[in-house]
Amino acid sequence: MSQPIIEVRDLVKTFGAVRALDGIGFSISKGEVFTLLGPSGCGKSTTLRIVAGLESADDGDILLNGNPILSIAARINVAPEKRDMGMVFQSYAIWPHMTVAENVAYPLKLRGVGSAEIRDRVTRALDLVDLAAQSDRDAPKLSGGQQQRVALARALVYEPQVLLLDEPLSNLDVKLREQMRFELKLLQERLGLTLIYVTHDQSEALSLSDHIALMNLGRIEQIGVPWDLYEHPKTEFVRDFLGKTVTLPGTIAAIDGATARVTLGGAEGTLTCQANGLDAAAGGAVMVAIRPERVRLGAGEGGANSLTGHVETVLYQGERSECLVRVGRELITVYGPPEAVKLRGRDITLELAPDAISLWPR
Ligand SMILES: Nc1ncnc2c1ncn2[C@@H]1O[C@H](COP(=O)(O)OP(=O)(O)OP(=O)(O)O)[C@@H](O)[C@H]1O
Ligand SMILES: [Mg+2]
């Protein structure tokens, strides 16, 4: 593997009695989108601000292209403006008394770049975010999405090695946020930008990232590619933070390496499942976890890996229908196609592929 562009090792940060970061470490390759994801207060912004140099740390190291920019042990702390990173905040933080072009030019002026070169680079940056036609307008008079793009152009204009984005889309309405997600991804891919992206929105993280670090209480629970985190969560926190999970109590009937037969208690049935590396023997009590979108709804007799149930009610959502299904004593939520709305009040079978079910300790 080539040298990571950024390496963060064992960051620790306390605010009074709060241990905001409790040993954060990760490395990022050039040209990738690396996302810090997690619930409010888990330490995402603190991590990003320490990488940017806007916040101090109690312990840890950060290397940029192998060179330390922060080392508490070696007393190294490179100033933010010398770290070659651009940052975009949730609040845009564009300057209200300036035009669009003046906003974007500002970081170059600060760095003493000559006026002809500033004109060139501002034009290029505004072209990138499709705002060239707005360059002489007062920045605050633009729409939210346009202001967000001004903030992005201003961070891109001095061509930093790494772009740090803290919830950059969270102030936008849903439609605009989804559109900006595509624009950001296109721009990142076209320019080969390296991004550290902070969000608490799982679908934003899953859709934009090459790697995700899912954080909880100042620690990283799991780092991986989005698909791996979603399909192979290592902890219950990761499993329940990403997507929805239905859990049912069960007992192991037989276990053989990677697969197990499990007898469900309240749902009355036996299923073949992924053992999920669980260290358990026949007779052991387990939780059976099912992703609602991996269940196939059928009529009549089900196959080997199926349960029978009764559809209590259905919530039609346009692109899908959410069915509340009674299986024995359990109520299970299952995502079906839109036309599953017609199953309200019917008896059905739930067909479950073994790899759609995983076992967890109880
Ligand atoms: N300047 C500060 N002074 C005191 N405590 C702070 C300060 N900054 C952050 N904290 C605390 O550190 C913890 C992590 O905060 P941080 O802002 O990094 O969370 P976050 O993951 O970005 O959350 P959010 O999604 O709400 O933005 C929280 O408990 C927060 O209250
Ligand atoms: Mg934050």
Side-chain angles (χ1 to χ4, degrees), residues 133-352:
Q134 319 288 335
S135 80
D136 295 329
R137 288 183 60 188
D138 286 341
K141 294 190 183 142
L142 301 182
S143 72
Q146 288 170 326
Q147 291 191 36
Q148 190 63 72
R149 288 193 303 217
V150 173
L152 198 56
R154 193 181 53 187
L156 284 169
V157 75
Y158 54 95
E159 295 167 12
Q161 291 196 53
V162 181
L163 209 53
L164 310 176
L165 305 170
D166 193 348
E167 311 248 7
L169 308 184
S170 62
N171 268 346
L172 308 177
D173 66 46
V174 180
K175 278 239 163 70
L176 197 54
R177 201 183 310 153
E178 286 176 358
Q179 182 196 332
M180 281 298 290
R181 231 187 253 183
F182 270 120
E183 292 183 11
L184 193 60
K185 189 73 184 158
L186 284 170
L187 190 67
Q188 183 267 332
E189 285 173 354
R190 188 150 49 92
L191 301 182
L193 298 172
T194 307
L195 303 188
I196 308 185
Y197 195 92
V198 162
T199 181
H200 63 271
D201 180 326
Q202 54 148 321
S203 86
E204 209 165 281
L206 290 171
S207 56
L208 286 176
S209 315
D210 294 298
H211 288 95
I212 297 173
L214 182 47
M215 295 178 65
N216 182 28
L217 299 172
R219 290 172 165 274
I220 293 178
E221 291 264 333
Q222 189 171 344
I223 297 183
V225 300
W227 180 85
D228 208 32
L229 255 68
Y230 191 89
E231 295 292 337
H232 303 290
K234 289 205 170 85
T235 66
E236 288 174 30
F237 177 84
V238 176
R239 181 193 75 196
D240 296 342
F241 192 85
L242 295 174
K244 193 173 161 80
T245 309
V246 173
T247 54
L248 302 168
T251 308
I252 296 185
I255 185 159
D256 173 19
T259 54
R261 296 277 298 162
V262 175
T263 307
L264 299 174
E268 289 158 23
T270 304
L271 295 172
T272 301
C273 325
Q274 298 183 86
N276 208 26
L278 194 69
D279 185 18
V286 288
M287 288 309 281
V288 177
I290 298 168
R291 291 289 197 191
E293 74 278 11
R294 299 290 302 274
V295 180
R296 291 231 341 263
L297 302 174
E301 292 288 296
N305 237 30
S306 66
L307 300 170
T308 55
H310 180 80
V311 180
E312 297 284 334
T313 193
V314 182
L315 301 180
Y316 174 69
Q317 306 268 331
E319 86 281 11
R320 71 173 185 215
S321 286
E322 295 186 16
C323 306
L324 191 66
V325 183
R326 180 172 297 285
V327 183
R329 295 193 305 275
E330 303 283 352
L331 274 175
I332 300 179
T333 305
V334 173
Y335 300 157
E339 58 275 19
V341 71
K342 295 182 195 141
L343 297 175
R344 187 180 279 124
R346 299 265 198 90
D347 289 335
I348 56 160
T349 57
L350 304 177
E351 289 167 27
L352 295 135

Side-chain angles (χ1 to χ4, degrees), residues 13-20:
K13 174 71 182 175
T14 48
F15 292 106
V18 178
R19 204 166 171 87

Side-chain angles (χ1 to χ4, degrees), residues 13-16 18-21 36-49 55 90 166-167 198-200 215 218:
K13 174 71 182 175
T14 48
F15 292 106
V18 178
R19 204 166 171 87
L21 304 182
L36 300 169
L37 172 68
S40 184
C42 71
K44 306 178 296 291
S45 295
T46 303
T47 305
L48 201 69
R49 289 172 55 78
E55 187 84 71
Q90 173 177 353
D166 193 348
E167 311 248 7
V198 162
T199 181
H200 63 271
M215 295 178 65

